[in-house]
Amino acid sequence: MSPVELFGTTFQNPILLAAGTAGFGRELDHVIDLDLLGGIVTKAVTPEPRQGHPALRVAEFRGGMLNAVGLANPGVEAVAEHELPWLAERLHRARIIVNVAGARVGDYVNVIERLTPFDVITAFEINASCPNTSAGGLEFGADPGCLAELVRACRQVSTRALTVKLSPVLPDIPAMALVARDEGAEAVTLVNTMPGLLDKRLGNGNGGLSGPALLPIGVLATRRVRERVDMPVIGVGGARSPTRASISPRARLWWRSGQRRSRIRVSRYASRAS
């Protein structure tokens, strides 16, 4: 596969690991050669360590799986002191994108400020599907004003590229992608998991749906954004092979996600995976 130009740099190929599917890479280090990938997107990083939701956290079904991990992560200090140095030593060609989450705008800013000095980071992926506690729990990405404030604040403190990850349940995803672009994001990631429930299968009750059932939802979101907004789209969800990838309209850069068995695609700036 050909190299891909994105975020002002070159990815050696269009295959990356999606956020949340491989932790910070250690989990798959003895399974695959991580440095053969185009890159890896880390699991979500928050200012403080998070234990996440109680078990059970994963429930499989015929159409895919539900997960209710609850953004479990060691916190930004542990990521800065242990995870990123390990990735920097382990990866020499594959690129690193850090997923960032929080409950307030200041949480995202704190994480980016702490991690921006690491030259190994190519971009930050802003998880805009998190509840904004300052807005009564409404997702950052569900309100144009909240999303604009979030992206603007992240742009002010980041010297790296930004991609904003949006929920598939938004009533007008292209409008929110436009907000993200206008506030300085270089790309959007489409889509996050879909809310779902399987009775008594998850400790948290409900969770996020991913896998094959998410594919047509992500394809539609990607198409709608590409028709209305002139910016790269990173699409994620449900594609498990190049054959499945080929049905995605105007979507050409893909990365493979591990547990969720999906592939992620980026349109406009990439070569078609084959």
Side-chain angles (χ1 to χ4, degrees):
M1 287 176 281
S2 302
V4 175
E5 297 296 323
L6 185 68
F7 298 140
T9 190
T10 301
F11 289 75
Q12 64 180 348
N13 61 62
I15 307 298
L16 301 93
L17 297 181
T21 61
F24 293 93
R26 297 178 190 265
E27 292 84 345
L28 292 182
D29 189 41
H30 298 294
V31 179
I32 62 173
D33 184 350
L34 295 173
D35 213 25
L36 293 179
L37 297 166
I40 179 173
V41 184
T42 72
K43 74 182 288 86
V45 180
T46 56
E48 73 292 333
R50 288 179 59 110
Q51 294 298 315
H53 294 315
L56 298 167
R57 292 182 173 184
V58 175
E60 292 191 73
F61 67 105
R62 181 172 296 181
M65 60 175 278
L66 293 180
N67 83 83
V69 176
L71 300 179
N73 75 96
V76 68
E77 287 303 321
V79 171
E81 294 174 9
H82 302 290
E83 305 300 344
L84 282 177
W86 181 86
L87 279 169
E89 181 179 355
R90 179 65 182 81
L91 303 182
H92 303 287
R93 299 182 301 275
R95 302 299 184 184
I96 298 170
I97 298 174
V98 174
N99 184 283
V100 183
R104 298 172 297 275
V105 171
D107 292 341
Y108 292 82
V109 169
N110 289 343
V111 171
I112 292 174
E113 284 184 324
R114 179 67 179 90
L115 299 184
T116 288
F118 287 84
D119 293 335
V120 70
I121 297 174
T122 294
F124 291 103
E125 182 176 78
I126 307 303
N127 186 348
S129 299
C130 297
N132 180 0
T133 57
S134 299
L138 184 70
E139 287 185 7
F140 283 98
D143 177 80
C146 290
L147 182 61
E149 179 186 6
L150 174 63
V151 179
R152 187 183 312 122
C154 293
R155 180 75 282 160
Q156 289 174 349
V157 297
S158 176
T159 59
R160 310 301 161 77
L162 300 177
T163 179
V164 178
K165 193 170 189 177
L166 297 173
S167 167
V169 300
L170 300 178
D172 191 347
I173 294 179
M176 304 311 289
L178 185 60
V179 169
R181 188 199 68 180
D182 289 349
E183 293 298 338
E186 283 81 359
V188 288
T189 301
L190 306 174
V191 288
N192 210 327
T193 56
M194 191 87 176
L197 173 68
L198 291 173
D199 190 36
K200 299 180 181 179
R201 296 285 302 278
L202 295 172
N204 186 57
N206 62 289
L209 181 150
S210 59
L214 194 61
L215 177 62
I217 298 169
V219 169
L220 179 60
T222 299
R223 181 173 187 174
R224 285 178 171 172
V225 169
R226 292 296 299 129
E227 288 176 343
R228 291 175 50 187
V229 186
D230 183 21
M231 70 187 306
V233 174
I234 301 175
V236 55
R240 294 177 290 175
S241 70
T243 300
R244 290 291 183 91
S246 67
I247 73 172
S248 178
R250 306 179 187 177
R252 297 181 178 178
L253 170 63
W254 293 77
W255 70 62
R256 181 175 58 207
S257 102
Q259 291 177 334
R260 294 175 191 167
R261 304 174 184 174
S262 61
R263 289 184 181 245
I264 297 175
R265 54 210 179 269
V266 176
S267 60
R268 188 181 176 205
Y269 289 107
S271 301
R272 182 176 300 277
S274 60

